[in-house]
Amino acid sequence: MRTPIVAGNWKLNGTRASVRSLAQSILDGLSSVHADTQVVVCPSFVHLGDVAAVLDGTRVALGAQDAADQEQGAFTGEVAAAMLAEYGCRYAIVGHSERRHVYGESDAFSAAKFAAVRAAGLTPIYCVGETLEDRENGATHAVVERQLRAVEQHDGVAGLDEAVIAYEPVWAIGTGRTATPEQAQDVHRFIRETLRNGASVNILYGGSVKPDNAAALFAMPDIDGGLIGGASLQADDFLAICAATRSE
Ligand code: PEP
């Protein structure tokens, strides 16, 4: 079922004290957010325990920013999805554009992570999106479809039924350049039509969402919420974005 979701991706930021304080400030302001909006925060791996302790028993869910493609074994530096589940994570971001484009992770590798996350009982927040060059070449839909099909090939078509999809045009992430609501809606509708059970899948928009543009994006019929980077590091901004989700 489609539900408004806003997830904060805290990336490589914070100290143990500052992430505890940020989580607490979000909790303190939560009354401004519709009760049916699922709020998620994704701190770095090493901060999960601190943030989990603050969020314990509240309506804010914990997510991780990534997960290993493997369950266990000799994979130095990796963190398995089951380990994240043990820390109380309900979500894990998979295939974020910084993983794909800064660290060179392929569609197939992202798909393997997706399957590992689902196997551990977590919900993947699976990121798809085109580069500026792709968009200028008219390849936006083809790129997004390729990224979705990679998961279907690895995990079967049913895998995406259970996921949250985040459409994040690479050219809009951290750049201050947001897709217009119409540009975002076009791709969201395409994703919904491409998925087997698209009518019931939550599809988030990500890419320089701020308090002043969130409502216009979230008002689009196929946008169910947002994946928020920079603006999720300020509790007031993040809460204002969460409060901009539709309530129905
Ligand atoms: C992101 O990293 O997922 C993101 C959307 O970042 P920002 O909001 O800073 O563009």
Side-chain angles (χ1 to χ4, degrees), residues 73-90:
F75 302 102
T76 303
E78 293 295 309
V79 177
M83 297 172 179
L84 301 173
E86 211 179 358
Y87 269 81
C89 287
R90 287 173 47 199

Side-chain angles (χ1 to χ4, degrees), residues 63-192:
Q65 297 174 19
D66 194 15
D69 62 322
Q70 304 287 332
E71 277 180 36
Q72 61 172 25
F75 302 102
T76 303
E78 293 295 309
V79 177
M83 297 172 179
L84 301 173
E86 211 179 358
Y87 269 81
C89 287
R90 287 173 47 199
Y91 297 86
I93 298 171
V94 175
H96 189 277
S97 79
E98 286 150 14
R99 301 303 323 168
R100 293 179 188 270
H101 296 285
V102 180
Y103 294 99
E105 297 185 0
S106 66
D107 289 344
F109 191 49
S110 302
K113 291 182 171 192
F114 180 104
V117 165
R118 264 191 9 99
L122 273 64
T123 299
I125 300 177
Y126 183 62
C127 302
V128 297
E130 81 288 3
T131 63
L132 188 56
E133 190 183 5
D134 295 329
R135 176 161 283 266
E136 288 172 350
N137 289 335
T140 297
H141 287 189
V143 167
V144 166
E145 182 171 3
R146 189 197 72 216
Q147 293 166 334
L148 294 172
R149 298 290 180 225
V151 167
E152 291 181 348
Q153 279 159 19
H154 194 97
D155 203 28
V157 282
L160 290 166
D161 293 356
E162 310 290 328
V164 173
I165 308 297
Y167 168 57
E168 299 210 304
V170 179
W171 48 271
I173 298 177
T175 60
R177 195 176 156 189
T178 319
T180 65
E182 293 73 23
Q183 284 174 320
Q185 166 59 24
D186 168 71
V187 182
H188 279 239
R189 182 179 45 227
F190 173 76
I191 293 169
R192 214 174 278 296

